[in-house]
Amino acid sequence: MSVAAIGADGHDGVDQLYVETRELRLQGFLLFLVSDCVLFSSFIFAYLYLRNSGQGWPPPGIQRLDVGFAAWNSVVLFGSGATMHYALENFKHGNFIRYMWFLLATIVLGAGFLGGQAYEYNHLIFGEHVTWWGSGIFGASFFTLTGMHGMHVFFGVCYLTVLVLQSAAGVYTKGKYFGITAGTLYWHFVDVIWVVLFSIFYLI
């Protein structure tokens, strides 16, 4: 089944209202990502400022985070960024079946990343007794920032699941697929944010 065959309305699947609002939708979505970037930047700046306030890092009594496990979980998330890229490219080129498989793979990898994060939280909280509320600046910063990122990944997985259902229902056509473009941009955004968080919490 080709994308062009889905939902074709005799005008390449593009209605006039969609054409007129496509750029505005993209600009609005980019502004949303910029605002999200400002939010993360504020928390990251606060974390780095407090980290360099002089008590040593990590604070006494807290072990360094497990870099190996976090690196493996990062590969899972970055892999989902690659599958999302190929999903969009296959949709653009009319390969609907391959698009759906790559989109489903992205969802599975995103859920896998969340599972890895849940495992790490469980290990820190119950194994090493590192908590948001009882481990000072380190615990509050780590769980707040990684938790915010995990929440974004969760919302992304939900959004991609909606894309699967909409795509199966023929909502998107070869000339009308802003929802898929937005999903791809959002997923790459959570990838970029994780690069920063992985660097500041696990590497430096």
Side-chain angles (χ1 to χ4, degrees):
M1 182 183 298
S2 69
V3 174
I6 301 170
D9 59 1
H11 296 82
D12 294 330
V14 181
D15 57 58
Q16 189 60 32
L17 178 61
Y18 178 80
V19 172
E20 293 175 352
T21 60
R22 181 168 47 195
E23 292 301 318
L24 289 175
R25 292 182 187 189
L26 180 59
Q27 291 173 14
F29 190 75
L30 290 177
L31 285 175
F32 161 71
L33 293 182
V34 169
S35 67
D36 233 12
C37 190
V38 171
L39 175 66
F40 272 101
S41 298
S42 301
F43 278 94
I44 289 171
F45 176 79
Y47 162 73
L48 292 175
Y49 177 80
L50 293 170
R51 172 174 172 159
N52 292 292
S53 61
Q55 64 171 331
W57 211 262
I62 296 178
Q63 300 295 319
R64 289 191 66 87
L65 297 168
D66 188 342
V67 179
F69 180 79
W72 172 250
N73 212 27
S74 300
V75 170
V76 173
L77 184 64
F78 299 150
S80 72
T83 55
M84 191 64 217
H85 169 76
Y86 285 114
L88 176 61
E89 289 303 312
N90 275 282
F91 188 89
K92 287 180 178 178
H93 291 87
N95 300 317
F96 184 76
I97 299 299
R98 294 188 67 183
Y99 153 74
M100 289 291 275
W101 276 114
F102 276 117
L103 189 56
L104 289 170
T106 305
I107 293 172
V108 170
L109 290 171
F113 173 81
L114 290 175
Q117 192 170 46
Y119 171 82
E120 184 179 35
Y121 279 14
N122 182 70
H123 174 72
L124 287 174
I125 294 172
F126 298 104
E128 299 187 14
H129 306 293
V130 178
T131 62
W132 181 84
W133 57 90
S135 299
I137 296 169
F138 178 83
S141 301
F142 175 78
F143 284 106
T144 298
L145 274 166
T146 60
M148 282 174 51
H149 179 267
M151 182 180 67
H152 278 71
V153 174
F154 173 75
F155 288 150
V157 168
C158 293
Y159 182 83
L160 297 185
T161 303
V162 172
L163 283 184
V164 169
L165 298 176
Q166 289 181 328
S167 300
V171 171
Y172 300 108
T173 67
K174 193 171 183 179
K176 183 180 177 181
Y177 54 90
F178 175 76
I180 301 172
T181 302
T184 304
L185 289 172
Y186 181 86
W187 204 254
H188 289 326
F189 171 77
V190 298
D191 271 356
V192 171
I193 292 297
W194 183 250
V195 170
V196 178
L197 297 185
F198 179 73
S199 299
I200 63 175
F201 280 117
Y202 297 92
L203 298 182
I204 62 175

